[in-house]
Amino acid sequence: MSTSTPDSTTPAAGQNHADSVTTSPVAAPTSELAQTVVEVPDCPTPPTSSNDNPLYLQPVLLAAFLALLGTLAALWMNNRFHRERLKFEEKLADKKYAHDISLEERKFSHTVGRAKWQRQSEFAEEQLAAFYEARARLASIRSPASYSSENNDRAGRDQETEAVRNARDRYYPVLRRFSQASEFFNAFYAARHRAVALFGEGADRPFIAIWQALNRVQVSASMLMREDMHGEHPNVAQNRQRMEERIWEGAADPDPIAAEIEGAIEGAEALFRPVIISPPEPTGND
């Protein structure tokens, strides 16, 4: 059996292939290496971006600038509109407030005026009716007709002479009627103070006129009850006639007492009737 000698070129067992390659490089032929030319392909030139060119940036910048201007203009217009709206709303609120105040003042004034008119009208109606009643009562007091029963309660009548008794029986009924109507006339005359309070100065004049006419009649009747008024002296007869014209309605033409009473009635009508028939006009939106 023949033993082969290991070739020096053959790698030993356990020796890796790399060691074999390293220890035994294969040299390329020089001529072939020299002739080999490595051709490197040309790299393509990258395309130029439009962002790197100022000519391409001008429209974009212009659009952005215009958008910025539009935004600023919109903000300015919005701010101005907001300010104008605030001013308008403030003026509108002031006008509404002034209108509400004016309306409330008119309503209050009308309420106060109507309450005052109601008090005046109620008083005027009552007092105008009282004036008409006073005229009727004075006409009854001054009536020349009398009843014999009206002298039954006259004190001292039985102790008088027949002439004096007959004379006094003619005048005493006037005084008796005054006494019976005294409560009405006292209340009537007292109302003059309230008339002045509601209608002002001078509203008491019709009341005073009635009261003065009443006093003239009463004083004249009292004077005629005196004994010295029944003599036949010319002065006495003249005074007696003048007083009889006062106490008796229609004894004189014209009748001075009736004229005073009618004047007082006309004054009361002028004072009270307009208030009764004319309520205050409403104001505002009442």
Side-chain angles (χ1 to χ4, degrees), residues 14-202:
Q15 188 177 7
N16 56 31
H17 179 71
D19 292 341
S20 172
V21 174
T22 302
T23 57
S24 299
V26 179
T30 306
S31 60
E32 187 176 336
L33 180 65
Q35 292 179 357
T36 302
V37 179
V38 178
E39 294 183 358
V40 179
D42 295 336
C43 295
T45 303
T48 304
S49 174
S50 62
N51 294 333
D52 297 335
N53 191 346
L55 295 178
Y56 289 99
L57 292 177
Q58 288 181 1
V60 176
L61 293 176
L62 181 60
F65 179 71
L66 292 178
L68 179 61
L69 286 181
T71 303
L72 293 177
L75 290 175
W76 181 80
M77 290 296 295
N78 187 34
N79 188 24
R80 181 176 180 182
F81 174 76
H82 184 65
R83 290 198 305 269
E84 294 295 331
R85 183 177 179 180
L86 288 178
K87 291 180 181 179
F88 173 76
E89 290 179 352
E90 184 178 358
K91 291 181 180 179
L92 186 63
D94 291 340
K95 288 182 179 180
K96 185 177 183 303
Y97 176 77
H99 174 74
D100 291 343
I101 292 297
S102 177
L103 180 61
E104 291 300 324
E105 289 177 350
R106 292 196 299 270
K107 285 183 177 180
F108 177 77
S109 177
H110 177 64
T111 301
V112 172
R114 190 166 186 84
K116 180 181 178 181
W117 168 81
Q118 187 172 1
R119 293 194 302 271
Q120 288 180 333
S121 63
E122 290 176 356
F123 176 80
E125 185 176 355
E126 293 174 359
Q127 295 309 310
L128 190 57
F131 271 89
Y132 295 147
E133 184 177 353
R135 178 173 60 184
R137 284 180 177 267
L138 275 169
S140 176
I141 289 171
R142 298 182 67 220
S143 174
S146 62
Y147 299 95
S148 60
S149 58
E150 291 181 304
N151 288 289
N152 292 337
D153 59 345
R154 185 165 64 83
R157 185 172 182 272
D158 296 336
Q159 286 78 33
E160 296 170 348
T161 63
E162 184 177 357
V164 172
R165 183 170 58 252
N166 292 336
R168 288 178 175 175
D169 285 348
R170 296 173 61 196
Y171 309 129
Y172 178 75
V174 175
L175 295 175
R176 188 174 185 271
R177 295 165 191 168
F178 266 112
S179 179
Q180 292 174 342
S182 61
E183 183 176 356
F184 166 81
F185 281 107
N186 288 335
F188 170 84
Y189 189 57
R192 72 189 188 281
H193 301 297
R194 191 179 175 195
V196 174
L198 290 174
F199 294 90
E201 194 69 27

